[in-house]
Amino acid sequence: MPDAVKFGFGPFAAPARGVLVVFCGEGVKFGSAAAKALGPAAALVARAAKTESFTGKAASVLELIVPAGMKADRLLVIGAGKAADLKPTDFLKFGGVAMGKLPKSATEATILADLPDGAMGGEQAALLAQGASLRAYTFDRYKTRKKDEDKPAAGRSITIATGDVAGARKSYAAHMAVAGGVLMARDLVNEPANVLYPEEFARRTAVLRKAGVAVEVLDAKALKKLGMGALLAVGQGSRRESRVVVMRWNGGKKGAAPVAFIGKGVCFDTGGISIKPAAGMEDMKGDMAGAACVVGLMQALAARKAKVNAVGLIGLVENMPDGNAVRPGDIVTSMSGQTVEVINTDAEGRLVLGDVIWYAAQRFKPQMMIDLATLTGAIIVALGQEYAGLFSNDDRLSERLTKAGEATGEKVWRMPLAPEYDKMIDSKFADMKNTGGSRWGGAITAAQFIKRFVDDKTPWAHLDIAGTGFDSRQSDINRSWGSGWGVRLLDRLVADHYEK
Ligand code: BES
Ligand code: MN
Ligand code: ZN
């Protein structure tokens, strides 16, 4: 984790130095703890607010340098808006906003977790810390010419002053375990494909063992033996061998059926023989964002000792054009025994997922399965970068995911599945073909394809994260290209419905 910031919690007090962050409501109203910390500087704040037309609107910031009458070198007043409107995601955002406003040179900051109508709870204080840590992440390991003034000061520490130190510390432990998973996912997504090819990706999952996750790597020979002809067809044009990684976290009741998470891990997607146009192709190093999310999630669940049995499986391949590459028209046999006519070698993700999902179901008999994949450009056309596409055979699971999305800000929008779309992937020569033949409804026909590898008795959801996995517009809690999208969503889903 680069530029790690240390977080601590303490009782309400005005800091003797560094940066002080306080919150105010609409009309620049302060709670008692903040008012006390401001002391005589409150008049200064009122004047500055007027001059700046700062009204305390949610996430707006008023900044005062060397405020007279205070020991702090810098004061940040963050608007919290109307107290009644505040949701958990707002506290995350406030933490991100505060972090974003800290000067790079600042080594010490104190955030006062206080609102006009009373102190924030411990959970809310912990969310401030999580938001700040997500915002602090940068991916700059390949920047050799960083200027000193661009580098954050070493040993930055942030104290969150709260009315519930014990409660905040307790929530914080879980939130930071999850943040660690998000940052791990971002690191994987940001890494270029010359560095992160299937074998290297598989190697990097070994760190999960430290948290108590059993990690098993299946090499190409093992995959061949299992009959994963669809997955292997995608990787056959690459100099890099394909891999499947199986991660197991057993925090639940012995023998209880696990929840399963399956990720698309196309380390680079050129499109293969159906090669993509050059413009923007570099983004396809992120075509493993689904797999990155599964790894980050397994890390998060283990680090916070989630009371659940969970398995994570990722299919790692590289899709390249080559003399040995799979061709349009080729027919491959999947592990399920179903044959697939490859119409377009750029529709490779579904070939990978079909085999890994089938394998996960056979081996683990999960109580529920969720796959994540940067699967189609069509889902970006439909939903942009705000919502991921949700496809499911189960209303209850869909409902749960939708709620978890609202709670975490990683939102999903349910899309249809129907026999009319399923018909579109029937093939003249094989059991199915890997595209619907038309660009219309492209995200849906892709989901229908995956559905053919799922038995209808297992609740299953497919999340098309092509729009959200990377290159999301910069948010208050992420400034990096890779988003780590889905880790917080699925951790939440597990915490709310599948633990104990
Ligand atoms: N990895 C791409 C989808 C993608 C596009 C992800 C943009 C993120 C951003 C996927 O493998 C792909 O190429 N899909 C094709 C399918 C088509 C050939 C049926 C697409 O969406 O165009
Ligand atoms: Mn593709
Ligand atoms: Zn792809």
Side-chain angles (χ1 to χ4, degrees), residues 17 40 49 96 99 135 137 143 152 154 162 205 263 292 366 439 455 460 472 490:
R17 65 188 85 81
M99 189 71 226
R135 173 63 178 260
Y137 171 85
K143 293 252 186 207
T162 163
T205 62
R439 275 161 52 191
D455 83 90
W460 155 77
S472 11
L490 296 177

Side-chain angles (χ1 to χ4, degrees), residues 113-132:
D114 190 37
L115 288 170
D117 57 345
M120 294 180 195
E123 163 70 9
Q124 296 165 334
L127 282 168
L128 291 177
Q130 194 192 36

Side-chain angles (χ1 to χ4, degrees), residues 139 141-142 186-204 238-241 265-270 281-289 316-320 481:
F139 184 80
R141 72 173 57 141
Y142 298 106
R186 285 184 190 169
D187 264 347
L188 290 166
V189 175
N190 286 323
E191 201 70 85
N194 60 323
V195 175
L196 197 76
Y197 44 93
E199 203 179 342
E200 172 61 14
F201 192 134
R203 262 198 291 275
R204 290 200 186 183
S238 172
R239 301 279 285 267
R240 308 293 192 179
E241 257 194 25
V266 177
C267 293
F268 196 79
D269 181 14
T270 63
M281 203 204 276
E282 66 279 9
D283 280 1
M284 286 300 108
K285 72 171 184 175
D287 208 18
M288 30 55 71
L316 302 170
V317 300
E318 184 180 53
N319 188 21
M320 298 292 272
W481 183 77

